[in-house]
Amino acid sequence: MRNSVIYVHYEPLAHMFLTAGISASDVLTATPSPMRHLLLLPPINEDEFIDPHTGFNEISGVEAVSTFLRSKDARDRSWLDYKHGTYLRELMPTEIAELLYLGHAKTHIQPPFYYKLQNNLVFLPLRNDMVTIYARQTSFFSRMLAASIVKHLRWAANDQPFWLRLRQQHFAPVPEKVLDQLFANLEDGVLFDFGGGLFSRDLVRVPLVNLADRFVPDQPLEMDQAVLFGELILDRKANVWRYELK
């Protein structure tokens, strides 16, 4: 189940996305320029570097950040980016308290975008293998989603007969202008069903489904009550994506 679906539920006022199937490694593909600094929210690891002002673990350096985002720790730890190391020292006690609450409760007191940190992303793994993601710009999240779609498509293609896998080595990412058409539906929650997709020589079709209830990864899907409202379609010859409503 984990490798056959992506789920996204969008709350626009908070710039918050409740997700399944999107991983920290997708951030590397989505980021236009490498991230240089990450602040890891509690619990604190005493064996890692601790910022003396906030008391939180921090990771600095492009290579160190990239290594972390590819690791299992990035899937299990709550973290956010920030622009410059000196900015941490400017956080007020009330802002540090908000970050403590964010890491503990996995939700916000106010949208967690701080002028002093200039952060663009917050990544909060939940106990049920879902992740709450805050993205300052929807375009950033769209790039993460596009990267995850390609990843899941490759996994799904590996389950296809050999004659359908011949041209699966490269899939173009779904353009932002195509994903923009989905955002109104994301507010109701959308399941990208790769397991129910259709592969042919010419097309790949990914069903887009609204569920009757909120998605929970470790529970069976009630597909008999789900509504298929559209498809993402890849023209394999042109390597071009489009969105079609049902």
Side-chain angles (χ1 to χ4, degrees), residues 84 87-88 90-92 95 114-119:
H84 295 295
Y87 289 3
L88 286 183
E90 298 179 9
L91 287 174
M92 300 293 291
E95 293 169 320
Y114 297 91
Y115 174 78
K116 294 172 184 175
L117 297 181
Q118 295 292 294
N119 64 303

Side-chain angles (χ1 to χ4, degrees), residues 1 5-8 189-193 206-211 215 221 223 229:
M1 175 63 69
V5 300
I6 294 172
Y7 178 77
V8 180
V190 172
L191 186 80
F192 298 72
D193 183 12
V206 180
L208 303 172
V209 178
N210 286 132
L211 302 177
F215 175 68
L221 283 173
M223 296 302 289
F229 69 88

Side-chain angles (χ1 to χ4, degrees), residues 15-243:
H15 289 240
M16 184 176 76
F17 300 84
L18 177 65
T19 72
I22 298 177
S23 65
S25 62
D26 296 323
V27 176
L28 291 171
T29 306
T31 308
S33 57
M35 289 183 175
R36 296 182 179 273
H37 303 282
L38 298 180
L39 185 65
L40 279 57
L41 302 180
I44 307 301
N45 186 335
E46 299 290 341
D47 295 327
E48 298 174 353
F49 181 79
I50 298 175
D51 168 59
H53 180 67
T54 61
F56 299 160
N57 294 125
E58 64 167 303
I59 299 174
S60 291
V62 171
E63 185 176 347
V65 168
S66 296
T67 298
F68 172 77
L69 291 176
R70 292 188 179 97
S71 72
K72 184 179 183 297
D73 280 348
R75 299 194 298 268
D76 298 333
R77 298 286 299 272
S78 297
W79 51 269
L80 65 154
D81 67 306
Y82 61 97
K83 195 166 186 180
H84 295 295
T86 55
Y87 289 3
L88 286 183
R89 296 9 137 195
E90 298 179 9
L91 287 174
M92 300 293 291
T94 53
E95 293 169 320
I96 295 172
E98 285 184 14
L99 290 171
L100 278 169
Y101 181 84
L102 185 67
H104 174 72
K106 310 299 184 184
T107 190
H108 61 282
I109 296 174
Q110 59 182 353
F113 303 107
Y114 297 91
Y115 174 78
K116 294 172 184 175
L117 297 181
Q118 295 292 294
N119 64 303
N120 292 305
L121 189 71
V122 179
F123 192 92
L124 304 172
L126 307 177
R127 292 180 180 177
N128 58 1
D129 288 331
M130 300 188 74
V131 179
T132 295
I133 296 171
Y134 293 85
R136 185 187 294 269
Q137 299 173 326
T138 56
S139 59
F140 195 157
F141 181 80
S142 291
R143 291 193 298 269
M144 290 181 63
L145 178 57
S148 189
I149 288 171
V150 168
K151 176 179 66 182
H152 283 266
L153 197 57
R154 287 173 180 158
W155 288 336
N158 286 336
D159 293 332
Q160 302 303 311
F162 178 72
W163 63 276
L164 290 177
R165 285 191 274 132
L166 291 177
R167 296 172 51 202
Q168 67 88 19
Q169 290 85 354
H170 174 73
F171 295 115
V174 186
E176 186 179 338
K177 65 180 180 181
V178 174
L179 292 177
D180 282 348
Q181 300 174 59
L182 290 177
F183 266 76
N185 295 95
L186 293 180
E187 294 183 34
D188 295 322
V190 172
L191 186 80
F192 298 72
D193 183 12
F194 296 89
L198 173 66
F199 281 73
S200 71
R201 289 185 182 273
D202 300 322
L203 299 173
V204 175
R205 297 177 178 270
V206 180
L208 303 172
V209 178
N210 286 132
L211 302 177
D213 298 309
R214 183 160 290 193
F215 175 68
V216 180
D218 54 3
Q219 294 183 6
L221 283 173
E222 299 293 338
M223 296 302 289
D224 56 330
Q225 299 180 34
V227 177
L228 175 67
F229 69 88
E231 292 179 322
L232 282 177
I233 300 174
L234 173 64
D235 182 324
R236 299 187 76 179
K237 292 182 178 179
N239 212 18
V240 173
W241 287 94
R242 68 179 186 270
Y243 165 56

